Amino acid sequence: MFLYLGGLPMKTSPSLQGLRGSSRHASINARPSSTTISPARKRVLIVDDNPLVRKAVCSLFTLDGFSVCGEAGDGVQAIEEARQTRPDLIVLDFSMPVMDGIRAAKALKQIMPDVPVVLFTAHANSALEKHALAVGIAAVISKQEQASDLVAKAHDLLSANCEVETRISDRLYSVTSCQRQAK
């Protein structure tokens, strides 16, 4: 499968094959969307054990005007990277070696409780969603959804007023509302 990021197509791993788009391609514009958070670029930490998925997700956020402040391949690395880079948002895979996304999110929420964490996973289901929300994860986005849904959720979570929603398959669950001051 190939993920189109506004330049040359990039070969991705099977874990991104569920990203929808025409002919199984996800495409995004090369310039930031009108919803890009300004004036300061928001910093995002990307955590996934698959380097190709990590690179694709980093590209999605960068092209949409975010600053990728760090990357990690497992939960332990995510905690260390978050301590060093102090991100505004963390995108975290669930299934990773050393420490899974749920355990990492729980530790991250203790260190930085105001930083939203998005679980971006191929293993999305109702049980995981409930567990994720219980440890403080703000949203669960399935890798079966469009890639743009992940970036759109990041914008929503970082805006002054947001409603936290979890998207699994074609169902949309409203979980809670939150009041956040824009940084």
Side-chain angles (χ1 to χ4, degrees):
M1 145 172 203
F2 288 90
L3 181 66
Y4 180 73
L5 297 173
L8 295 174
M10 180 175 99
K11 188 168 181 162
T12 61
S13 72
S15 64
L16 277 183
Q17 287 183 357
L19 293 175
R20 287 186 294 187
S22 63
S23 302
R24 294 183 117 7
H25 288 75
S27 101
I28 55 178
N29 294 327
R31 61 182 174 80
S33 72
S34 61
T35 60
T36 297
I37 300 163
S38 296
R41 289 174 34 151
K42 294 296 182 174
R43 298 162 41 86
V44 62
L45 171 63
I46 307 297
V47 184
D48 197 296
D49 60 321
N50 185 317
L52 294 174
V53 173
R54 225 176 25 246
K55 182 175 177 138
V57 174
C58 287
S59 294
L60 287 170
F61 277 92
T62 300
L63 289 170
D64 204 66
F66 285 86
S67 170
V68 175
C69 63
E71 299 179 36
D74 65 55
V76 172
Q77 291 174 354
I79 294 165
E80 183 58 34
E81 193 70 22
R83 282 184 176 136
Q84 292 178 10
T85 63
R86 309 305 292 178
D88 298 305
L89 176 85
I90 301 169
V91 176
L92 190 61
D93 187 17
F94 167 65
S95 181
M96 297 182 292
V98 184
M99 180 186 286
D100 70 35
I102 296 290
R103 289 178 44 218
K106 190 173 184 177
L108 288 163
K109 293 307 285 182
Q110 290 177 349
I111 297 166
M112 41 189 70
D114 294 332
V115 175
V117 176
V118 176
L119 194 66
F120 185 52
T121 180
H123 304 286
N125 61 50
S126 296
L128 178 61
E129 170 198 355
K130 288 177 185 177
H131 194 77
L133 296 172
V135 300
I137 292 174
V140 175
I141 304 290
S142 171
K143 288 181 180 176
Q144 303 302 316
E145 296 298 322
Q146 293 183 34
S148 61
D149 290 350
L150 176 61
V151 176
K153 180 50 63 187
H155 283 293
D156 289 348
L157 290 170
L158 292 170
S159 66
N161 296 310
C162 67
E163 184 170 307
V164 179
E165 300 168 336
T166 301
R167 189 178 275 280
I168 297 177
S169 298
D170 291 328
R171 299 173 303 198
L172 183 63
Y173 299 94
S174 251
V175 178
T176 185
S177 59
C178 62
Q179 301 289 321
R180 285 184 47 94
Q181 295 290 328
K183 292 184 180 182

